[in-house]
Structures are given as C-alpha cells and as structure tokens.
Amino acid sequence: MKIGFIGLGNMGAPMALNLLKAGHALNVFDLSEAAVRALVEAGAQAAGSPKAAASDVECVITMLPAAAHVRSVLSADDGVLAGIARGVPIIDSSTIDPVSVKACAELAAQHGNPFVDAPVSGGTGGAAAGTLTFMVGGSASAYEQVKPVLLAMGKNIVHCGDTGTGQVAKICNNLVLGISMAGVAEAMALGEALGIDTKVLGGIINTSTGRCWSSDTYNPMPGVIDTAPAARGYSGGFGTDLMLKDLGLATDAARGARQPVYLGALAQQLYQTMSTNGAGRLDFSAVIKLYRREGAADAASDKGDKGDKGGAR
Amino acid sequence: MKIGFIGLGNMGAPMALNLLKAGHALNVFDLSEAAVRALVEAGAQAAGSPKAAASDVECVITMLPAAAHVRSVLSADDGVLAGIARGVPIIDSSTIDPVSVKACAELAAQHGNPFVDAPVSGGTGGAAAGTLTFMVGGSASAYEQVKPVLLAMGKNIVHCGDTGTGQVAKICNNLVLGISMAGVAEAMALGEALGIDTKVLGGIINTSTGRCWSSDTYNPMPGVIDTAPAARGYSGGFGTDLMLKDLGLATDAARGARQPVYLGALAQQLYQTMSTNGAGRLDFSAVIKLYRREGAADAASDKGDKGDKGGAR
Amino acid sequence: MKIGFIGLGNMGAPMALNLLKAGHALNVFDLSEAAVRALVEAGAQAAGSPKAAASDVECVITMLPAAAHVRSVLSADDGVLAGIARGVPIIDSSTIDPVSVKACAELAAQHGNPFVDAPVSGGTGGAAAGTLTFMVGGSASAYEQVKPVLLAMGKNIVHCGDTGTGQVAKICNNLVLGISMAGVAEAMALGEALGIDTKVLGGIINTSTGRCWSSDTYNPMPGVIDTAPAARGYSGGFGTDLMLKDLGLATDAARGARQPVYLGALAQQLYQTMSTNGAGRLDFSAVIKLYRREGAADAASDKGDKGDKGGAR
Amino acid sequence: MKIGFIGLGNMGAPMALNLLKAGHALNVFDLSEAAVRALVEAGAQAAGSPKAAASDVECVITMLPAAAHVRSVLSADDGVLAGIARGVPIIDSSTIDPVSVKACAELAAQHGNPFVDAPVSGGTGGAAAGTLTFMVGGSASAYEQVKPVLLAMGKNIVHCGDTGTGQVAKICNNLVLGISMAGVAEAMALGEALGIDTKVLGGIINTSTGRCWSSDTYNPMPGVIDTAPAARGYSGGFGTDLMLKDLGLATDAARGARQPVYLGALAQQLYQTMSTNGAGRLDFSAVIKLYRREGAADAASDKGDKGDKGGAR
C-alpha cells in the first residue's frame, strides 16, 4: 500500500518506520529536514508539502502536536486536501480535542474523504515496538478500511464509535490517570508521614480496593516498584507537561459540554504547580514531590532536561 | 481457645460466628440484647459487661464504631482492663485514628497486655464468608500471638508494622479508593456527555492506564459492570457515610501530620454533598449522580434506606 | 467626533447611545437589523459592514462576545482594517483573552492603527447610566487619544499598562470575585446549618476581616442585603454563564502562563455544576444553592429565563 | 468587680491587664509561673488552681488554646465548677468548636452557672489596646450580665444568638477570610505572571467587585499595601498555623453538620502545604509563595521564628 505520512516527531517517526517494515511504501513530510532524511534513509520518499505527501496514495496519516496543526495541514493551499484523491481515508493520530476532530472530518467529507481520529496510548516505547493501542473514532466502514494499516503500528485497535470518540476515550482515560496518580501520591506520602513502611503500604493498596495502574505499575514513591520512573529520578516516562496538555483537553471538553470535573481541574493545578516549579519535563509521577517534605527543594533542583522519553501514556 | 468478643454489629456478629465455627469458645458483650441473644443461640456465652467478657479468656477482640467507644470499653470501671489477665492480647478491629490506637496500646501496656490494631477490609460479605483482610499493627510477637485467631475470620492477614500502622494502611488505601471512585465517576460522566458508549469507554479504561478497582470491579456508571452496586440502584455495597468516615480519618490524620491531602479533601466534600442531599446510605459509587444530568431525578427515586430526599447536587 | 461602533448588544447599544448623547456622530454596524434600527432612530447612521462603519471616522469601537468575533471583524475582507484610515485608534471593549488582544493589536499596528483593549465593569446598568469602569491596556499615547471617547461612556477610566493589561485586570478581578462569592456562599450556608441568624452573621462578616463585595453588597443569602439578586430570586445581575466565561478566560490565561489557580479552577467547577443543573442564567450568587439543603429543587425551578440584566461585574 | 481569669497567654495576659486598668480585682491562674507573676506585679492576686481562681468572684473568664483545656479547666477536681458560686457567669473567650461549647454550657448549667462563648477578633494588638471584637453566644440575660466586663477589654460586643453562635460567627468569618486571602494571592500572582503592574492591579481590585479585606488591607503581594505583613517579610500578623486551626474548626463543624465546604477544604490544604514547607509561623498571607515562581525556595528559607505577633484574626 502507498501511504502519505505527515509528522515525524518522537511518536510519528517510529510509527512510520513500522509501516515501512510492514512493506508499505511511504511519502513523508515534516518541517524538520533531519526527520525526513532519517525516514528516507530507511526507504521512504520525501515529499515537499502535505499536498505532495497526500498525492497518489491510498491512505494519509497525520501525527501532529495540536489541533491547529492538523487543521492547517489539512486545509492549507499546499495541504492534504489539495492533493488527496476522493475516497482515500485520512487517519489523524494526534491527540486533540473532539470538536476539532469533527471540524476536520467535515472538511474531509466535503472533499469526499473518510476521516478517523485514532489517538494512541503506549508512548514512544510502544511506537517503536509496534505495540500501540489505537482508539478509533469514525464510521464502521472507515474503521474497517484503516484497521489493516493501524495493525502495522499497534496491537490493540479499538473502535470507540463515531467521529471524535477516539479522542473522547483517550481524554477520559487520561483524566482518570491524572487523578489517580495524584491520589496515590497523596496517600503514599501520607502513609510515609504517618510512619508505615511505604513498600508494605504499596503492597496492601495493590491487593486491595485502592489498586490501580498508578500504584501497581507506576507507583510514584521511590522503592515501591523497581521499574517505575520513581526508581530513576522521574526521568523518562510520561512528562508532566504532556499530562498537563491532556488534562487541559479534558477540562476544555468538559467546559464545552457544561460538565463539572472537580478532581480533574484540581489535579491539573497540581501538575501546573510542578511545571511552574520547573519540573514540567519530569515524569508526571514526580507530582509526589508536592507532598513530601523535601519536595519543594527537589522540585527546583531536579529540573528535568531530558524531557519525555516515552513510556506509557 | 476462649475469647472475649465485644461489639456485635453488622461486622462483629458474623466475625464472632466464624470464631464459634472454628471451635473457639466465646464470651460476648454488646449493648443490644438482641445481638447478644443471636450469638448465644449460636453457642456463645453472654457477658454482662466488657469486664466480664474479658475475664478468664485467652484473647479479647473489640469491633466498635469509633475511637471513643474503644477507649471507654477498655478503661471504664467495668471495662476490659478491669477484667483481663496480664499478658492476654487485645485485638481492636474497629477503624479508628492511629493516635487513639497508640493511646489505647499504652493503656494496655501499662496493664501488661499486648494490643494490636487490626482493621479489616472486605465488608459484611467478607465478614460472613470469613474472607476478610486484616491489616495488623503491633510488635512482631503480638502479631504472631493473634494471627491464628484472625485466620478464623479472614484469609489475608498482613503485618503492617508497629502499633497504629494497621490503621494507617486502611486509611491510606481508602483515601486512594475515595479519590479514584470520584475520578472514575467524573470521567465516565464526561465520556457520556461527550457521546461515547459508556460500556466501550469502561472497556478501554479497564485495559489501559486508567484501570483501577473503582473502574474494573465497581464502575459507578450503570451498564458497565453487572455485579457493581450501580447495577442495583446503588443499594448494598460500601455506604457513602462510611466512606465519609474514612476520608474524615484520613484528612484528620493528615492534619495532625501537617501533610496536605488536596484531592482527598475535595473528594470528602463531594461525598459530603451526597450525604447533605440525603444519599448517605447509598453505595459510595452513587457519587456519579453529582455529575450526570438526570442525577437530580434519579437521586430522588433511588432513595436509600432512609433518605435521599433532596436529589443529587 | 465621528465614531464607528460595531456590536450593539446588551452592553454595546447603551454605550453607543451615550456617545450620541455626548454629541458624537456614529456609524453603527450589527448583524441584528433591529439593533441597528434602534440606534438609527436615536440619530446614528447605519453601515452595511464593519468596513463601512470604520470608513471616514476618527475612532472605532468594538463590543463583541468573543475573541473570534473581534479577529474576524478586524481582518475580514469587509472588516474594519479594510476601511479604516491610518492612525485612527481602535478600542476593543469586549472581554477576551490577553493573547488574542496582542494578536489584534499587531494586525492593527501593521495597518498603522493604535489598538487598545478596554474591557468594562459595571454591567448593563452602568452601560445605560454611563458609569462604567474601563480598564485600558495600550501605550500612553493611545490611552490619551481614546480617553475622551471613553469618558462619554464611563466614569472611571484606568490605564493598566501595555496592550492586554486591561484584560488582565478584568480577568484577575473577576477571578477574585468568583472565588469570594463562592466562599461567602459556603460560609453563610455553614452558618445557617449551625444555627446562627444569617443576618447577624452577615453583619459580623461585613465589619470584620471577611468583609468583601460578595458579602456586603451582593450577599448570596436571601434576607441579608435587600438590594442583592438573592432578594429577587437571583434574577437579573451577573449571570452564572458569564461568570463561567470569565473564569474560563482566567484559567486559560493561567494555563498559558504555567500559573496554578487552585481556587479559581474549583470555583469554575461549582458554577459549571450550576450551569449543568440548568441555572446558568441565574445571577452567579445563586451558587449558594449548591450548599443549602433545599438547593437542588430550587435550581431546577428557578431557571432564569430573563438572563443577564446587567448589574455589577 | 472581682473576676477570676484563667489562661494568661499572648491574648489572655493583655486582656487581664485591661481588666485591672478598668478597676476590677483579679484572681489569676496559669500553668506558667512567669505569666502569673507578671499579672501579680500589675496588681492581680495569684490563685493556685482554677478552683481557687473561681472562688469568691463575681465572674470567671477563660482564655485557653483548645476545647480539651476548657473542658478540663471547668470540670477537673480542682476546676472552676468546684469553686464557683451558683449564678456567677462564666465567659469562655477561647476559639473552640460549637459542640464543645454546648457541652461546657450544659455542665455549667447543671451547676447553676450561666455560660457564654465569647471568642475575639483583633489579635494581640487589639487585646493590648482594648479594642477587641467579642462575638458572644448565650441567652439575652447572660449577655447583659457579661457585657460590662467585656467592654473593659473590647470595643465591639456583638450578641450573635444562643450558646455556641459566638464560635459559629468567628469560624464562618475566618472561613471567608482564609478563602479570600488565598483567592487574592492566586489572582495577584496570575496578574504578575501576565505582566500587569501589581500595584495597579491591587488598585483596580480594591475599587471593584473583587475588593475585600484580604486585598485592600492585607494584600499578600509585596508593594501593594505598605502596612501589610507582605511589606515586612510576612512576619507578625496572623500566623499560618492559626489560620490552619480555624479552618480545621470550620471543616470539622461542617462535617458534623453534613455541610460541604469545597473552597474551605481546599484553602486548608494550601495553608497546610505552607506549614509542611516550614512556613507555619509566617503570616497567613505568605500563602502567595505557593503561586509565585520563587515561592518554593522562599518558603523553606523564610521560616518565621517569631510566630504570631497579633494582627487581625
């Protein structure tokens, strides 16, 4: 299959590589020449614009930082819709708000193209390994059309419902995640202050009604889970600023729907405080620093300069 | 073994019955004559006071509503310490604050009695089935002394550390629980408002980073988990007022330790609102009513045992 | 002076009338023909487009619902910048985000026009009476240029600093307002539940360290201040949905600046809950219904159908 | 008049001195010999116990740190009720919870003594100057009986209603205060981050709908109000730990009344964080450090060691 791929960042590049490995031909576009060059060396063809990348292909995939980029890549004069043939499906794997998804889908529909939102979870690790989860919003027929392409990049392809529901699923999951991580941080730090061995406490929570991914897989207290970012100074993992972006999408979507999100809005402020303190690039589980006595000092001194290395989202 | 058992309520009565079944002899005391009579019919011997219940036994167990009851049952003129022989261990399975535990343990120590805090999880179902989890705080030797007795009432007996750490473990676990349930409620209601099928959403969260007991076992949205209280109008289960009690213990302990509990304090207010609205006896997952549009109407029709006259919100 | 005025809504119309009364000549534009007709009857001249309204005038004023309208009215093919002469100042009195203000000011500057943001407080009452407060952001020279025009519509004209700071002042003031109103609601309802006469309580707060506009002028508890919206079923006043809009601007601006707003984000959720419950058009002091026992019922029955009639902002 | 005075701390000592100045005779008791000696030098008579202090007097005043002290001072074997004559009124000026007040009043009533709760505002400054405000709960006749005594120590004597309502008034006022201070801190820090001159911003808020004591008298941003603690490194004033105590009383009373206090509970966590960071003795307006970029570092380094020097409460 010949595929146009636009957006070769930390996530997009390994996803595109997996498409090449699966035997697909790729037209790639990115503003970074280095990013394009790396894909060309792996066998892709460079395109001079989103329009060129979308011309003469059977599928287009976009993986971009924010909704404004997706809209512009679609509808600019040298954008995807200027080059794509009628009927060719467009997959947007960016994480953006559901309202923008609907606007993009409408633009595509006017042009005769099916559009699915297919945000991912699994981080850069999952992108490299081809084990991402794709949450797909769109019609049943569009879903069937794009599923084979997605299977070259991920192992869980879930049809969530109509256009936009892929984003809704991702936003709602990460809302729970952001809350439960801060909740676990609060409880582990309280336990520590009250004198219980935190490894014992983690063990009890993980086999009781408090168990959750934030505790049993990614526990924010150092010494509880050996493979969690807490065991390596909160480097790598899912960056605080990325969690902030997702909680921003959640609280914005909630505002649009006139839906209260008490805990989500508060959790957002906690991660915001971390970011204000210069810890935005640390893994989001570093939020526990707000609760531990040495926290204030650490948050200032541990400023992550390595950024988000992937890991789960 | 001959055991004194004080406090035959919803939890204490089935726990005492399991001790009888295991072949222990019981001296029982409760302010309710009916509660005592039921145990006597099952083979226990009635005692006229905590002092009498604690006389001539090898172990004393208390299961009471609040710290004030435990203190008074121990130290009143006709209390446990007035009757118990030196060296006989006292097990308090009530859920109370760690500071009171230490005060009780000191009273017992002055009298020559080991004291362990051993709060439980598993609810009345686990009490009846003998499958409770006991979180035990106390010295290693006291733990070994009481473990055989606890095994007649539960299947998981965890030594958490020194005196008080059993309560710390329970409080911290329930802090995570109260937060994650409200967080899941918030996210499920947001997803519903944004148009995703809630069963699909539940499935995604339960296999992703948002997974937690509050979602995969006890999901508050009707239609997601067939065996959850949400499937039966939020009857049965773990009452909102009990969650309020435990969050109160958590925020009080945090205050004493000068430890912030942002999300816990906010979750407490959400359950408080449910209680204010008359829904205190509904399962705590009914907190989702605060987030759903038809909530007001439902809360009025799903009345708990007594109340819920006010409608949610 | 000849002035172009675009946006003749609840606020814009009385502001434009005051300019006429002060002897200015007006070119007016609005999408609503009825709104234009009313101004024409008062002596204004109708313009067929923003471009036409801005042609051949000495000053242009815009008063529009949101940033998207302001941007479009400025830069559309038949927009203000297509008609206005170089050097003529543009006053935007809409309440919008500071980032959009800067973008608009840059567009205007490219065209050779000074641009000031001049959001107002005082509501429709103040607009009618010509007693509005204008918070003005822009250069000192632009401020001096527009001040005489603003004095025909308001009595307090405050220069806040550079472009955008007018909006910052308004957003920050309304952030305090939204928080303090909900705080007063919380305290008054608590006092009521604890059995103190609420009028006595209001009197104490108003002469003590808790005193604030939300208590001494606009107290949300019925029976405390005779002239407050609480005394007339929360009709009129500053609508909950308008407070929500302003808190949204505040939390968005905070997010952009990586600045935590704990209480603001929580207050936003409280007003959001009111809006979800159908009370978005009631005065924002109706938030006390969330705290009073009969609240749920009232929020449903008192649905405001009159909307924002002005009053303070 | 001969008066028994028990509790000669930072507040009690200057209050007692004012009674002496007004010509009353005093029997004083305190656990600190130094505190007693200072009063004796000023003309008071030392008593060896609360019982002795309450013997042969026409009025008893208690000024103690917490409810437990008040209960014990009343009912111990050598307590007030063991020495006081029937009919002599007891004034408790401590800040404690309303439930404890009722219990104390009942004890006093059984003994034939009127009891009023009369907590104060005005701080150590007001105590020294004799300008305190007394919020009095009790029967009309008891109020009339004690008013002349209170007038020797304060200038505003307000009858709030029945027993306990004095405490309710104080708790509710300080609930508003704690929230509005944190709200002003949030808004001033946001304005600073968004680039407005904070003195200009303060001026706008103070003449607009955001005005409040926390902004116009005690603004937490340095440079806005010259006489506020912010102008002297947050020393003196009303300590963070005292605000924490009062918010604790408010949230506890709310819990007992099944009344939500969303913003109060969150504000409590913010002051708690300050206390955790070692800033509990700074004035409570130092909470703005949580919002300003240099905050984390400052909170650690500025540890106040002078404590509460008075100022407003």
Side-chain angles (χ1 to χ4, degrees):
Chain A
M1 217 186 209
K2 193 162 175 198
I3 297 171
F5 200 108
I6 297 156
L8 303 168
N10 290 337
M11 294 294 292
M15 289 164 66
L17 284 170
N18 278 323
L19 290 172
L20 286 173
K21 274 185 214 155
H24 296 296
L26 290 195
N27 270 5
V28 300
F29 177 77
D30 195 283
L31 291 177
S32 152
E33 281 181 35
V36 170
R37 205 177 313 127
L39 262 289
V40 168
E41 279 164 18
Q45 195 160 344
S49 68
K51 177 181 173 180
S55 298
D56 198 23
V57 298
E58 295 157 87
C59 179
V60 168
I61 302 175
T62 53
M63 187 60 171
L64 298 159
H69 306 104
V70 179
R71 275 195 302 267
S72 143
V73 154
L74 277 189
S75 59
D77 288 347
D78 64 347
V80 165
L81 294 176
I84 199 169
R86 286 181 66 87
V88 169
I90 302 170
I91 302 169
D92 178 39
S93 281
S94 319
T95 296
I96 65 174
D97 64 286
V99 173
S100 293
V101 167
K102 280 175 191 163
C104 290
E106 205 163 313
L107 281 175
Q110 285 164 8
H111 199 270
N113 297 94
F115 182 98
V116 302
D117 51 308
V120 302
S121 73
T124 53
T131 57
L132 293 171
T133 292
F134 284 88
M135 291 157 271
V136 185
S139 69
S141 64
Y143 173 69
E144 292 305 329
Q145 222 178 335
V146 303
K147 192 174 174 185
V149 177
L150 298 178
L151 278 168
M153 300 180 286
K155 69 172 186 200
N156 260 315
I157 320 293
V158 187
H159 189 205
C160 300
D162 278 346
T163 310
T165 54
Q167 302 292 355
V168 171
K170 175 154 187 190
I171 284 172
C172 290
N173 179 73
N174 283 13
L175 176 59
V176 175
L177 175 60
I179 293 167
S180 65
M181 177 56 78
V184 169
E186 206 161 291
M188 294 298 301
L190 177 59
E192 182 182 39
L194 294 175
I196 195 171
D197 180 287
T198 53
K199 190 150 187 155
V200 170
L201 177 57
I204 288 166
I205 290 175
N206 293 343
T207 54
S208 184
T209 50
R211 76 169 160 72
C212 53
W213 185 91
S214 295
S215 177
D216 64 24
T217 304
Y218 226 66
N219 199 295
M221 179 67 79
V224 175
I225 303 286
D226 292 345
T227 53
R232 48 177 195 268
Y234 304 102
S235 64
F238 182 34
T240 296
D241 283 341
L242 287 175
M243 175 49 83
L244 261 181
K245 178 196 166 189
D246 288 1
L247 287 175
L249 289 171
T251 54
D252 280 352
R255 199 196 308 175
R258 291 268 179 269
Q259 189 66 24
V261 279
Y262 288 93
L263 294 166
L266 179 52
Q268 189 178 4
Q269 302 311 315
L270 293 168
Y271 296 109
Q272 186 68 82
T273 299
M274 287 301 286
S275 191
T276 306
N277 289 351
R281 308 189 82 171
L282 294 184
D283 181 77
F284 79 119
S285 62
V287 71
I288 199 172
K289 289 170 180 284
L290 293 177
Y291 294 99
R292 299 178 75 198
R293 248 164 204 110
E294 70 279 19
D298 287 359
S301 65
D302 278 6
K303 284 182 194 182
D305 51 5
K306 302 285 177 45
D308 171 49
K309 284 297 180 31
R313 347 198 145 184
Chain B
M1 217 187 209
K2 192 161 176 199
I3 298 171
F5 201 110
I6 297 156
L8 303 168
N10 290 336
M11 292 295 293
M15 288 164 68
L17 284 171
N18 278 323
L19 289 173
L20 288 174
K21 273 186 216 154
H24 297 296
L26 290 195
N27 270 7
V28 299
F29 176 77
D30 194 282
L31 291 176
S32 151
E33 281 181 35
V36 170
R37 206 178 312 126
L39 262 289
V40 167
E41 278 163 20
Q45 194 161 343
S49 68
K51 176 181 173 180
S55 299
D56 198 22
V57 298
E58 294 155 89
C59 179
V60 168
I61 302 175
T62 53
M63 188 60 172
L64 298 159
H69 305 104
V70 180
R71 274 194 303 266
S72 140
V73 153
L74 277 189
S75 58
D77 289 348
D78 64 347
V80 165
L81 294 176
I84 197 169
R86 286 180 66 88
V88 169
I90 302 170
I91 302 169
D92 178 39
S93 280
S94 319
T95 297
I96 66 174
D97 64 285
V99 174
S100 293
V101 168
K102 281 176 190 163
C104 291
E106 205 162 314
L107 282 175
Q110 285 163 8
H111 199 269
N113 298 95
F115 181 98
V116 301
D117 51 310
V120 302
S121 73
T124 54
T131 58
L132 292 171
T133 292
F134 284 87
M135 291 158 270
V136 185
S139 67
S141 64
Y143 172 69
E144 291 306 328
Q145 220 178 340
V146 301
K147 193 174 173 185
V149 177
L150 299 178
L151 278 168
M153 300 180 287
K155 70 172 183 200
N156 260 314
I157 320 294
V158 186
H159 188 207
C160 299
D162 279 346
T163 310
T165 55
Q167 301 292 354
V168 171
K170 175 154 188 191
I171 284 172
C172 290
N173 179 72
N174 284 13
L175 175 60
V176 175
L177 176 61
I179 292 168
S180 65
M181 176 57 77
V184 169
E186 207 162 288
M188 293 299 300
L190 177 60
E192 182 183 40
L194 294 175
I196 195 171
D197 181 287
T198 53
K199 189 150 186 154
V200 169
L201 178 57
I204 288 166
I205 290 175
N206 294 342
T207 54
S208 184
T209 50
R211 77 171 159 70
C212 53
W213 186 90
S214 294
S215 178
D216 65 21
T217 303
Y218 226 66
N219 199 294
M221 179 67 79
V224 175
I225 304 285
D226 291 345
T227 53
R232 47 177 198 268
Y234 303 101
S235 63
F238 182 37
T240 296
D241 282 342
L242 286 175
M243 175 50 82
L244 260 181
K245 178 195 166 191
D246 288 1
L247 288 175
L249 289 171
T251 54
D252 281 352
R255 199 195 308 174
R258 290 269 179 269
Q259 190 65 25
V261 280
Y262 288 93
L263 295 166
L266 179 52
Q268 188 178 5
Q269 302 310 314
L270 294 168
Y271 297 108
Q272 185 69 82
T273 300
M274 288 300 287
S275 191
T276 306
N277 289 351
R281 307 189 81 168
L282 294 183
D283 181 77
F284 79 118
S285 62
V287 72
I288 199 172
K289 288 170 180 283
L290 293 177
Y291 294 99
R292 296 180 74 198
R293 250 172 202 93
E294 71 280 21
D298 284 0
S301 63
D302 281 356
K303 288 175 187 176
D305 274 351
K306 281 259 176 79
D308 192 25
K309 292 278 168 45
R313 310 175 198 213
Chain C
M1 215 184 208
K2 194 161 175 198
I3 297 171
F5 200 110
I6 297 156
L8 303 167
N10 290 337
M11 293 294 292
M15 288 164 67
L17 284 171
N18 278 323
L19 289 172
L20 287 174
K21 274 186 216 155
H24 297 296
L26 290 196
N27 270 6
V28 300
F29 176 78
D30 195 283
L31 292 177
S32 152
E33 282 180 36
V36 171
R37 206 177 312 128
L39 262 289
V40 167
E41 278 164 20
Q45 195 161 343
S49 68
K51 176 182 174 180
S55 298
D56 198 22
V57 297
E58 294 156 88
C59 178
V60 169
I61 302 176
T62 53
M63 188 60 172
L64 299 160
H69 306 104
V70 180
R71 274 194 302 266
S72 142
V73 154
L74 276 190
S75 59
D77 289 346
D78 64 347
V80 165
L81 295 177
I84 198 169
R86 286 181 66 87
V88 170
I90 302 170
I91 302 170
D92 178 39
S93 281
S94 320
T95 296
I96 65 174
D97 64 285
V99 174
S100 294
V101 168
K102 281 175 191 163
C104 290
E106 205 162 315
L107 281 174
Q110 285 163 9
H111 199 270
N113 297 95
F115 181 98
V116 301
D117 50 309
V120 302
S121 73
T124 54
T131 58
L132 292 170
T133 293
F134 284 88
M135 291 157 270
V136 185
S139 68
S141 64
Y143 172 70
E144 291 305 328
Q145 222 177 337
V146 303
K147 192 173 174 186
V149 177
L150 299 178
L151 278 168
M153 301 181 287
K155 68 169 186 204
N156 261 315
I157 321 294
V158 187
H159 188 205
C160 300
D162 279 347
T163 311
T165 54
Q167 302 292 354
V168 171
K170 175 152 188 192
I171 284 172
C172 291
N173 180 71
N174 283 13
L175 176 59
V176 175
L177 176 60
I179 293 168
S180 65
M181 177 56 77
V184 170
E186 207 162 289
M188 293 299 300
L190 176 60
E192 183 183 39
L194 294 175
I196 194 170
D197 181 286
T198 53
K199 189 150 187 155
V200 170
L201 177 57
I204 289 166
I205 290 175
N206 294 342
T207 54
S208 183
T209 51
R211 76 168 160 71
C212 52
W213 186 91
S214 294
S215 177
D216 64 22
T217 303
Y218 226 65
N219 199 295
M221 179 66 80
V224 176
I225 305 284
D226 291 345
T227 53
R232 47 176 197 269
Y234 304 101
S235 64
F238 182 34
T240 296
D241 282 342
L242 286 175
M243 176 49 83
L244 261 181
K245 178 196 165 191
D246 288 0
L247 287 176
L249 290 170
T251 54
D252 281 353
R255 201 195 308 174
R258 291 268 179 272
Q259 190 65 24
V261 279
Y262 288 93
L263 294 166
L266 179 52
Q268 190 178 5
Q269 302 309 314
L270 294 168
Y271 296 109
Q272 186 67 84
T273 300
M274 288 300 287
S275 192
T276 307
N277 289 353
R281 308 190 81 172
L282 294 184
D283 181 77
F284 80 117
S285 62
V287 72
I288 199 172
K289 288 169 180 284
L290 293 177
Y291 294 98
R292 298 179 73 199
R293 256 170 195 96
E294 72 280 19
D298 287 359
S301 67
D302 278 3
K303 281 183 198 180
D305 50 6
K306 304 282 175 48
D308 171 46
K309 283 297 179 36
R313 322 192 166 194
Chain D
M1 216 185 205
K2 192 159 176 200
I3 298 171
F5 201 108
I6 297 156
L8 303 168
N10 291 336
M11 292 295 292
M15 289 165 68
L17 284 171
N18 279 322
L19 289 172
L20 288 174
K21 274 186 215 156
H24 296 296
L26 290 195
N27 270 5
V28 299
F29 177 77
D30 194 282
L31 292 177
S32 151
E33 281 180 36
V36 171
R37 207 176 313 127
L39 261 290
V40 168
E41 280 165 18
Q45 194 161 345
S49 67
K51 176 181 174 181
S55 298
D56 198 22
V57 298
E58 293 156 89
C59 179
V60 169
I61 302 175
T62 53
M63 187 60 171
L64 299 159
H69 307 102
V70 180
R71 274 194 302 269
S72 141
V73 154
L74 277 189
S75 58
D77 288 347
D78 64 348
V80 165
L81 294 176
I84 198 168
R86 286 181 65 89
V88 169
I90 302 170
I91 302 169
D92 179 39
S93 280
S94 320
T95 296
I96 65 174
D97 65 285
V99 173
S100 294
V101 168
K102 281 175 191 162
C104 290
E106 205 162 312
L107 282 175
Q110 284 164 8
H111 199 270
N113 297 94
F115 182 98
V116 301
D117 50 309
V120 302
S121 72
T124 52
T131 58
L132 293 170
T133 292
F134 284 88
M135 292 159 270
V136 185
S139 69
S141 64
Y143 172 70
E144 292 306 329
Q145 220 178 338
V146 303
K147 192 174 173 184
V149 176
L150 298 178
L151 277 168
M153 300 180 286
K155 71 172 182 198
N156 261 315
I157 320 294
V158 187
H159 188 206
C160 299
D162 278 347
T163 310
T165 55
Q167 302 291 355
V168 171
K170 174 152 188 193
I171 284 172
C172 291
N173 179 72
N174 283 13
L175 176 59
V176 175
L177 175 60
I179 292 168
S180 65
M181 177 55 78
V184 170
E186 207 162 290
M188 293 300 300
L190 177 59
E192 181 183 40
L194 295 175
I196 195 171
D197 181 286
T198 53
K199 189 150 189 158
V200 170
L201 177 57
I204 288 166
I205 290 175
N206 294 342
T207 53
S208 184
T209 51
R211 76 169 161 72
C212 52
W213 185 91
S214 294
S215 177
D216 65 22
T217 303
Y218 226 65
N219 199 294
M221 179 68 78
V224 176
I225 303 287
D226 291 345
T227 53
R232 48 177 196 268
Y234 304 102
S235 63
F238 182 34
T240 296
D241 283 341
L242 286 175
M243 175 49 82
L244 261 181
K245 178 195 167 190
D246 288 0
L247 287 175
L249 289 171
T251 54
D252 280 353
R255 200 196 308 175
R258 291 268 179 270
Q259 190 65 26
V261 278
Y262 288 93
L263 294 166
L266 179 51
Q268 189 178 4
Q269 302 310 314
L270 294 168
Y271 297 108
Q272 185 69 81
T273 300
M274 288 301 287
S275 191
T276 307
N277 290 350
R281 308 188 82 171
L282 294 183
D283 181 77
F284 79 119
S285 62
V287 72
I288 198 172
K289 289 170 180 283
L290 293 177
Y291 294 98
R292 299 179 75 198
R293 249 162 205 110
E294 71 279 19
D298 287 358
S301 65
D302 278 5
K303 284 183 195 181
D305 50 7
K306 303 287 176 46
D308 171 48
K309 283 295 180 33
R313 343 203 146 180

